[in-house]
Each structure stands twice: as C-alpha cells, then as structure tokens.
Amino acid sequence: MANPVFHFEIPVTDLDRAIAFYEDVFGYPLTREDVDGYDMAFFPRAADRPGASGALAKGDVYRPSHDGPVVYFDVPDIDAVIARATARGARVLYPKKDIGTAGFVAEIEDSEGNRIALSQVKP
C-alpha cells in the first residue's frame, strides 16, 4: 500500500511573507502558481521518494489556525530549524522533545499563525 497522504495545503493570509518564512526556515525553494483562482506556493516534490508534499494556499477558503490537522516537517537538524524560525518571529509552541528511538519533535507557529510540527530522526 502507498502512503495514504498525497498532498496538504497550509492556509496563509500573506503569501509573500509565508514564502519568505518557509524558504528561509526550511531552506528549499517554493514554486508559486495560480490554481483554480487560488494563489499557491508549492513545496518541492520528489516523485520517486516516499511521503507527501503540499503547498501554501491563500484564498477565501483558507484560514490560518492552531486548530485542525498538524503537518510534520522532517528536518535534518531540529535545533537549527527552530533557531531560524524564532529569528523570523516564530513562537515555539511545544519545545523540542526527545521521543526515544523515533527522534525529536517540536511545534512552532509559522508567520501566518499556523501550528506546524518538526520531526528529526536520530542519527
């Protein structure tokens, strides 16, 4: 069976600000597109790799929030990501926690007020 999640969308109110935040914090470029009248910025997607990708999305049906699903970003260095995020004004909502053999997790608030999570596998 394939991974059940294929795509996610993170609501934003200011797409330029959100793109700058995500590109700086995570270090990969986003690709901006208009999709069905909605302004979006897509995260990279490697078709031959496991996992999902998604987009930042701006429009009347997209409302940033701490409520609802939490998207986990796999990162190589959780401390560095938290440092870059807080330097851009992000709040740490759930400090880095060691979760045993699964690695580390943390939650931050992005530039738009969304709760997002970070996950780092232990080396």
Side-chain angles (χ1 to χ4, degrees):
M1 180 170 122
N3 291 316
V5 175
F6 174 76
H7 178 80
F8 60 84
E9 293 173 351
I10 298 174
V12 305
T13 54
D14 183 326
L15 190 58
D16 291 327
R17 177 179 61 207
I19 289 170
F21 178 87
Y22 280 86
E23 286 184 340
D24 185 46
V25 170
F26 293 104
Y28 38 70
L30 280 72
T31 305
R32 195 169 185 156
E33 294 181 33
D34 179 81
V35 177
D36 199 23
Y38 293 102
D39 203 8
M40 296 188 171
F42 288 83
F43 293 96
R45 177 168 182 79
D48 61 336
R49 304 288 309 242
S53 190
L56 304 176
K58 179 182 177 186
D60 59 336
V61 298
Y62 296 102
R63 294 176 197 87
S65 172
H66 281 204
D67 303 326
V70 178
V71 176
Y72 278 75
F73 285 84
D74 188 20
V75 298
D77 183 345
I78 200 167
D79 295 313
V81 170
I82 292 170
R84 288 192 300 270
T86 56
R88 292 198 61 92
R91 290 188 312 140
V92 174
L93 302 174
Y94 183 78
K96 175 184 170 183
K97 180 173 182 167
D98 186 325
I99 55 171
T101 58
F104 303 96
V105 295
E107 291 183 4
I108 61 172
E109 181 181 75
D110 73 4
S111 62
E112 307 308 292
N114 293 301
R115 176 176 57 130
I116 61 170
L118 310 172
S119 176
Q120 177 190 332
V121 175
K122 286 184 179 174

